[in-house]
């Protein structure tokens, strides 16, 4: 029995040593390290503030004469002998448009001329007879006054005779004619002709009060007519008042004088450099996804928050924000930065103003 125990003892010692050796080959498990704090990324930011944004603006309206002239007879009671102009004609200032029948007036002029000659002869006969006693002074004065009255009557009839030729007061395009041969010249409110002075037709485009503030005299515009023809124009006049009923004003756009531009037609103008005032951000600050447009706003704790926006005019590398963050908000200038809500950033103030993007500029137009 003792030999058996002695034999087992070395085996137990050997197994124990082997277990210690195996245990020595394994290292003690390491403890888990705490997560490192989030690293703040440097981003350029721009402070949201009002600024002028030049973009495209459209308005439509009627084609009207720049200045309209009316032609009507200055004498009444005479028949129209000839009408010498038609609608669409271009007439010159002083050109005869209507000739009235002069037969009756010519007879009156001949009679007045004879009476004036007789009165002149009577006045000459008393020349030098003042206070001579041959005729009373009253008779002498009466003959002289009669001569003057006869001359005045003759001049009046000669003037009326010239007025039988109804002429154009200005050069221009005949827009309307209402007179016919045989008509009797009579006083009335309806003119015989309507002229567009110098043939100049303008677009009178209706605009809201806000849009009127974005345009100015001398600004260029592209006008499209109903037949698709496009012409270049210039704003001549911006309405100084707003219609109290419609709350609209108007601009007058001067157009070139050409056959296709007709008074009473319709046109649509696009002003490519209309300047608007409002909160704006660089084009690069806008990000687009399935939910629409948005910007990344840096909060007081330097963490970003995505804010939905509604954009307006574009121009010069800027985009107007119709709805969005308030003035003074810090907006990340580069929307392409891989940022999500809650990211910690290190804002760099005083971002460089963006340059105009040719592609966007052309799209805005």
């Amino acid at each position: 029995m003792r030999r058996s125990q002695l034999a087992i003892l070395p085996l137990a010692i050997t197994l124990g040593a082997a277990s210690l050796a195996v245990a020595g080959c394994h290292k003690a498990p390491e403890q888990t390290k705490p997560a490192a704090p989030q690293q703040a990324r440097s981003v350029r930011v721009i402070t949201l503030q009002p600024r002028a944004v030049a973009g495209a603006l459209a308005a439509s309206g009627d084609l009207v004469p720049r200045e309209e002239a009316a032609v009507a007879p200055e004498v009444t009671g005479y028949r129209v002998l000839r009408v010498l102009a038609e609608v669409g004609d271009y007439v010159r200032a002083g050109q005869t448009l209507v000739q009235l029948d002069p037969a009756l007036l010519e007879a009156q002029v001949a009679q007045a001329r004879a009476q004036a000659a007789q009165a002149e002869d009577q006045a000459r006969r008393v020349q030098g007879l003042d206070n001579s006693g041959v005729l009373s002074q009253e008779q002498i004065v009466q003959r002289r006054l009669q001569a003057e009255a006869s001359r005045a009557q003759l001049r009046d009839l000669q003037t009326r005779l010239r007025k039988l030729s109804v002429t154009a007061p200005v050069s221009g395009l005949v827009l309307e004619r209402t007179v016919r041969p045989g008509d009797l010249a009579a006083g009335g409110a309806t003119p015989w002709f309507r002229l567009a002075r110098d043939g100049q037709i303008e677009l009178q485009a209706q605009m809201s009060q806000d849009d009127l503030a974005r345009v100015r005299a001398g600004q260029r515009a592209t006008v499209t007519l109903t037949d698709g023809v496009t012409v270049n124009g210039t704003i001549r006049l911006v309405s100084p008042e707003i219609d109290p009923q419609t709350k609209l004003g108007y601009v007058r756009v001067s157009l070139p004088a050409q056959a296709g531009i007709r008074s009473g037609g319709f046109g649509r103008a696009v002003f490519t450099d209309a300047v608007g005032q409002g909160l704006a951000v660089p084009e690069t600050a806008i990000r687009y996804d399935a939910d629409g447009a948005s910007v990344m706003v840096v909060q007081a704790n330097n963490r970003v928050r995505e804010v939905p926006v509604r954009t307006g005019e574009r121009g010069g590398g800027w985009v107007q924000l119709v709805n969005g963050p308030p003035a003074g908000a810090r907006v990340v200038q580069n929307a392409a930065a891989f940022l999500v809500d809650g990211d910690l950033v290190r804002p760099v103030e005083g971002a460089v103003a963006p340059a105009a993007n040719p592609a966007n500029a052309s799209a805005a137009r």
Side-chain angles (χ1 to χ4, degrees), residues 212 237-243 248-252:
L212 282 177
L237 175 68
V238 178
S239 172
E241 63 178 356
I242 302 296
D243 188 302
L248 296 175
Y250 64 87
V251 294
R252 285 288 193 102

Side-chain angles (χ1 to χ4, degrees), residues 80-261:
V80 174
L81 187 63
R82 291 186 300 273
V83 179
L84 305 174
E86 188 53 83
V87 172
D89 291 348
Y90 190 91
V91 298
R92 301 291 179 183
Q95 179 178 334
T96 300
L97 306 182
V98 175
Q99 180 63 56
L100 299 177
D101 190 350
L104 293 176
L105 196 53
E106 285 176 345
Q108 294 175 3
V109 169
Q111 182 179 3
R113 186 177 288 113
Q115 292 175 348
Q118 182 181 6
E120 288 286 347
D121 181 66
Q122 293 292 330
R124 281 195 302 269
R125 288 177 181 273
V126 298
Q127 188 174 0
L129 297 181
D130 296 86
N131 302 318
S132 64
V134 177
L135 291 174
S136 66
Q137 191 64 31
E138 181 180 355
Q139 291 175 316
I140 294 174
V141 172
Q142 184 178 4
R143 290 190 180 187
R144 290 172 177 169
L145 291 176
Q146 183 64 39
E148 291 180 4
S150 297
R151 289 194 296 268
Q153 183 181 8
L154 178 60
R155 287 195 300 269
D156 176 68
L157 290 174
Q158 289 173 333
T159 300
R160 293 168 67 86
L161 184 62
R162 289 193 298 270
K163 295 297 183 180
L164 294 183
S165 296
V166 182
T167 60
V170 297
S171 298
L173 180 69
V174 179
L175 300 176
E176 182 183 19
R177 164 193 154 181
T178 62
V179 63
R180 302 165 300 177
D183 285 349
L184 185 66
T190 303
W192 280 356
F193 291 93
R194 287 175 45 243
L195 306 179
R197 185 169 190 170
D198 299 325
Q200 292 186 334
I201 304 297
E202 297 182 331
L203 173 68
Q204 181 169 297
Q206 301 293 327
M207 303 180 74
S208 67
Q209 183 175 358
D210 292 340
D211 288 343
L212 282 177
R214 299 177 54 194
V215 296
R216 63 195 181 279
Q219 186 173 334
R220 304 180 72 174
T222 301
V223 178
T224 303
L225 308 179
T226 53
D227 57 2
V229 175
T230 300
V231 295
N232 294 323
T234 304
I235 295 180
R236 181 182 66 86
L237 175 68
V238 178
S239 172
E241 63 178 356
I242 302 296
D243 188 302
Q245 302 298 324
T246 64
K247 301 303 180 183
L248 296 175
Y250 64 87
V251 294
R252 285 288 193 102
V253 180
S254 296
L255 303 175
Q258 60 186 56
I261 302 177

Side-chain angles (χ1 to χ4, degrees), residues 324-348:
R330 295 182 300 170
V331 177
V332 177
Q333 182 169 348
N334 185 8
F338 297 101
L339 296 173
V340 296
D341 276 349
D343 279 357
L344 181 66
V345 297
R346 186 170 67 253
V348 178

